[in-house]
Amino acid sequence: MRMILFGPPGSGKGTQAKLLAEKFHIPHISTGDLLREAVTKKSPLGMQAKGYLDAGMLVPDDVMIGLIREVVTAGTGKDGFIMDGFPRTIPQAEALDRLFDELHIRIDGVVSLRVDHDEVIRRLTDRKVCRSCGRIFNSGQLRRDDPSKCPACGGELYQRSDDTTETARKRLEIYVKETKPIKEYYRLSGRFTQIDGMRDINDVYREIVAIFQKGRAE
Ligand code: AMP
């Protein structure tokens, strides 16, 4: 499986990408996770990116394109991948196409998760992430006896610093302005499927797998 998951922040890309990566035994390439890791490590990339992440702004294209090129050319995902959070601008989408052409990689498609904007804000401000396994939960999924622990692995849960109402709104605004136009770019190339991301996690998951299998059968 070589697939790009697309959609606003909070649309479930990360959750679905983790499920798909587990099922197909392929890496989940999340630029957000890579950047947060770099910030934690205080690497040069992290120092450069921190201000953008905190403000909910996009990290500049040249930095992001360099990062994804490094990850992909190092062989991550050579036997398949699920990409989440990249591309986020038209220049990033164009650069990714050039990179895939260069490496003779053909993607199965781009799946876009559609979610109402009110729901995006509700989900972002409600979610917690596990420091150990990276899984994402909403408040309804937490352990009753200890809501601070990951229901899957027992690790410590935390709220992302950019999941406050104010930053979530900013990220959504940027999504509409900078990222949403990519839909048209992929639609024109015939590799694009939009699905309803408002449904249950398992229903969305099954539909993505079905899209992939249908593409393979054609
Ligand atoms: P995410 O975890 O995908 O929500 O990403 C968190 C933050 O990382 C975003 O709000 C941006 O600041 C930054 N980021 C992640 N991916 C990209 C990208 N492709 N282009 C620019 N900034 C990005």
Tab-separated table of all heavy atoms in Angstrom, residues 31-33 35-36 52-53 56-59 64 85-88 92 160 162 171, ligand 1:
chain	number	residue	atom	x	y	z
A	31	THR	N	4.593	13.761	8.976
A	31	THR	CA	5.529	14.886	9.106
A	31	THR	C	5.329	15.590	10.450
A	31	THR	O	6.293	16.069	11.043
A	31	THR	CB	5.371	15.883	7.933
A	31	THR	OG1	3.986	16.096	7.688
A	31	THR	CG2	6.043	15.367	6.687
A	32	GLY	N	4.083	15.604	10.953
A	32	GLY	CA	3.835	16.212	12.272
A	32	GLY	C	4.610	15.458	13.357
A	32	GLY	O	5.273	16.068	14.201
A	33	ASP	N	4.549	14.118	13.316
A	33	ASP	CA	5.285	13.311	14.313
A	33	ASP	C	6.785	13.538	14.179
A	33	ASP	O	7.495	13.661	15.179
A	33	ASP	CB	4.997	11.805	14.125
A	33	ASP	CG	3.609	11.402	14.640
A	33	ASP	OD1	2.953	12.243	15.294
A	33	ASP	OD2	3.187	10.262	14.384
A	35	LEU	N	8.316	16.161	13.077
A	35	LEU	CA	8.670	17.497	13.579
A	35	LEU	C	8.618	17.540	15.110
A	35	LEU	O	9.507	18.092	15.745
A	35	LEU	CB	7.723	18.551	12.986
A	35	LEU	CG	7.868	18.815	11.495
A	35	LEU	CD1	6.742	19.711	10.992
A	35	LEU	CD2	9.213	19.462	11.163
A	36	ARG	N	7.590	16.915	15.696
A	36	ARG	CA	7.486	16.923	17.169
A	36	ARG	C	8.671	16.190	17.793
A	36	ARG	O	9.206	16.613	18.812
A	36	ARG	CB	6.155	16.307	17.623
A	36	ARG	CG	5.002	17.305	17.584
A	36	ARG	CD	3.722	16.726	18.122
A	36	ARG	NE	3.197	15.681	17.258
A	36	ARG	CZ	2.463	15.916	16.173
A	36	ARG	NH1	2.157	17.141	15.826
A	36	ARG	NH2	2.043	14.916	15.420
A	52	TYR	N	6.812	27.550	14.562
A	52	TYR	CA	5.699	27.323	13.624
A	52	TYR	C	4.679	26.371	14.243
A	52	TYR	O	3.479	26.591	14.166
A	52	TYR	CB	6.210	26.740	12.305
A	52	TYR	CG	7.108	27.666	11.527
A	52	TYR	CD1	8.482	27.529	11.568
A	52	TYR	CD2	6.568	28.691	10.753
A	52	TYR	CE1	9.318	28.379	10.849
A	52	TYR	CE2	7.385	29.553	10.029
A	52	TYR	CZ	8.765	29.389	10.081
A	52	TYR	OH	9.565	30.235	9.379
A	53	LEU	N	5.167	25.291	14.858
A	53	LEU	CA	4.259	24.318	15.466
A	53	LEU	C	3.446	24.972	16.587
A	53	LEU	O	2.231	24.797	16.652
A	53	LEU	CB	5.044	23.116	16.030
A	53	LEU	CG	5.142	21.931	15.077
A	53	LEU	CD1	6.270	22.106	14.090
A	53	LEU	CD2	5.311	20.639	15.833
A	56	GLY	N	0.758	27.066	15.262
A	56	GLY	CA	-0.192	26.411	14.356
A	56	GLY	C	0.030	26.807	12.907
A	56	GLY	O	-0.859	26.659	12.065
A	57	MET	N	1.220	27.325	12.610
A	57	MET	CA	1.537	27.759	11.244
A	57	MET	C	2.266	26.644	10.499
A	57	MET	O	2.837	25.747	11.123
A	57	MET	CB	2.475	28.961	11.275
A	57	MET	CG	2.057	30.042	12.225
A	57	MET	SD	1.251	31.363	11.381
A	57	MET	CE	2.583	31.999	10.418
A	58	LEU	N	2.307	26.761	9.175
A	58	LEU	CA	3.020	25.760	8.394
A	58	LEU	C	4.523	26.038	8.415
A	58	LEU	O	4.954	27.186	8.276
A	58	LEU	CB	2.540	25.760	6.942
A	58	LEU	CG	1.094	25.323	6.705
A	58	LEU	CD1	0.812	25.262	5.202
A	58	LEU	CD2	0.795	23.982	7.352
A	59	VAL	N	5.302	24.983	8.566
A	59	VAL	CA	6.757	25.080	8.454
A	59	VAL	C	7.047	25.349	6.962
A	59	VAL	O	6.357	24.795	6.095
A	59	VAL	CB	7.400	23.752	8.940
A	59	VAL	CG1	8.893	23.735	8.713
A	59	VAL	CG2	7.066	23.529	10.422
A	64	MET	N	10.243	21.447	4.633
A	64	MET	CA	9.415	20.239	4.602
A	64	MET	C	9.757	19.332	3.422
A	64	MET	O	9.784	18.113	3.542
A	64	MET	CB	7.922	20.618	4.540
A	64	MET	CG	7.401	21.327	5.758
A	64	MET	SD	7.838	20.516	7.310
A	64	MET	CE	7.082	18.912	7.116
A	85	GLY	N	-0.117	14.115	6.630
A	85	GLY	CA	0.376	15.455	6.973
A	85	GLY	C	1.263	16.066	5.900
A	85	GLY	O	1.709	17.199	6.028
A	86	PHE	N	1.522	15.330	4.854
A	86	PHE	CA	2.304	15.824	3.723
A	86	PHE	C	1.671	15.256	2.456
A	86	PHE	O	1.373	14.066	2.428
A	86	PHE	CB	3.761	15.357	3.830
A	86	PHE	CG	4.682	16.065	2.859
A	86	PHE	CD1	5.411	17.169	3.250
A	86	PHE	CD2	4.799	15.611	1.549
A	86	PHE	CE1	6.245	17.827	2.354
A	86	PHE	CE2	5.628	16.271	0.648
A	86	PHE	CZ	6.351	17.372	1.068
A	87	PRO	N	1.464	16.028	1.411
A	87	PRO	CA	1.759	17.455	1.278
A	87	PRO	C	0.693	18.333	1.911
A	87	PRO	O	-0.451	17.915	2.074
A	87	PRO	CB	1.771	17.635	-0.239
A	87	PRO	CG	0.796	16.617	-0.756
A	87	PRO	CD	0.889	15.456	0.179
A	88	ARG	N	1.070	19.574	2.222
A	88	ARG	CA	0.133	20.530	2.809
A	88	ARG	C	0.024	21.806	1.979
A	88	ARG	O	-0.750	22.702	2.342
A	88	ARG	CB	0.585	20.887	4.208
A	88	ARG	CG	-0.192	20.177	5.323
A	88	ARG	CD	0.411	20.600	6.626
A	88	ARG	NE	-0.439	20.473	7.763
A	88	ARG	CZ	-0.348	19.466	8.634
A	88	ARG	NH1	0.476	18.477	8.439
A	88	ARG	NH2	-1.114	19.463	9.700
A	92	GLN	N	4.453	21.616	-2.241
A	92	GLN	CA	4.827	20.331	-1.623
A	92	GLN	C	4.289	19.158	-2.453
A	92	GLN	O	4.975	18.158	-2.652
A	92	GLN	CB	4.275	20.226	-0.198
A	92	GLN	CG	4.958	21.146	0.804
A	92	GLN	CD	4.441	20.956	2.228
A	92	GLN	OE1	3.784	19.970	2.543
A	92	GLN	NE2	4.751	21.907	3.093
A	160	ARG	N	-1.598	17.739	23.031
A	160	ARG	CA	-0.649	18.482	22.195
A	160	ARG	C	-0.796	19.974	22.459
A	160	ARG	O	-1.908	20.472	22.610
A	160	ARG	CB	-0.927	18.184	20.715
A	160	ARG	CG	-0.237	16.934	20.234
A	160	ARG	CD	-0.623	16.550	18.830
A	160	ARG	NE	-0.590	17.645	17.864
A	160	ARG	CZ	-0.797	17.486	16.562
A	160	ARG	NH1	-1.060	16.269	16.074
A	160	ARG	NH2	-0.746	18.510	15.740
A	162	ASP	N	-0.545	22.348	20.525
A	162	ASP	CA	-1.264	23.081	19.472
A	162	ASP	C	-2.731	22.654	19.372
A	162	ASP	O	-3.427	23.023	18.447
A	162	ASP	CB	-0.555	22.944	18.112
A	162	ASP	CG	-0.389	21.504	17.652
A	162	ASP	OD1	-0.653	20.583	18.456
A	162	ASP	OD2	0.000	21.303	16.492
A	171	ARG	N	-5.145	26.615	12.808
A	171	ARG	CA	-4.719	25.524	11.932
A	171	ARG	C	-5.785	25.217	10.885
A	171	ARG	O	-5.477	24.917	9.727
A	171	ARG	CB	-4.405	24.280	12.767
A	171	ARG	CG	-3.085	24.438	13.521
A	171	ARG	CD	-2.988	23.527	14.714
A	171	ARG	NE	-2.991	22.133	14.366
A	171	ARG	CZ	-3.365	21.160	15.200
A	171	ARG	NH1	-3.783	21.446	16.407
A	171	ARG	NH2	-3.318	19.919	14.807
B	1	AMP	P1	0.085	17.465	12.348
B	1	AMP	O1	0.619	16.553	13.404
B	1	AMP	O2	0.021	16.822	11.001
B	1	AMP	O3	-1.203	18.131	12.750
B	1	AMP	O4	1.168	18.644	12.208
B	1	AMP	C1	1.464	19.486	13.295
B	1	AMP	C2	2.189	20.745	12.834
B	1	AMP	O5	3.403	20.393	12.170
B	1	AMP	C3	1.436	21.590	11.818
B	1	AMP	O6	0.504	22.462	12.430
B	1	AMP	C4	2.598	22.348	11.163
B	1	AMP	O7	3.077	23.373	12.024
B	1	AMP	C5	3.667	21.273	11.084
B	1	AMP	N1	3.606	20.484	9.824
B	1	AMP	C6	3.363	19.146	9.713
B	1	AMP	N2	3.397	18.761	8.428
B	1	AMP	C7	3.659	19.878	7.703
B	1	AMP	C8	3.806	20.136	6.319
B	1	AMP	N3	3.674	19.165	5.397
B	1	AMP	N4	4.058	21.410	5.937
B	1	AMP	C9	4.207	22.407	6.838
B	1	AMP	N5	4.077	22.230	8.157
B	1	AMP	C10	3.803	20.979	8.599
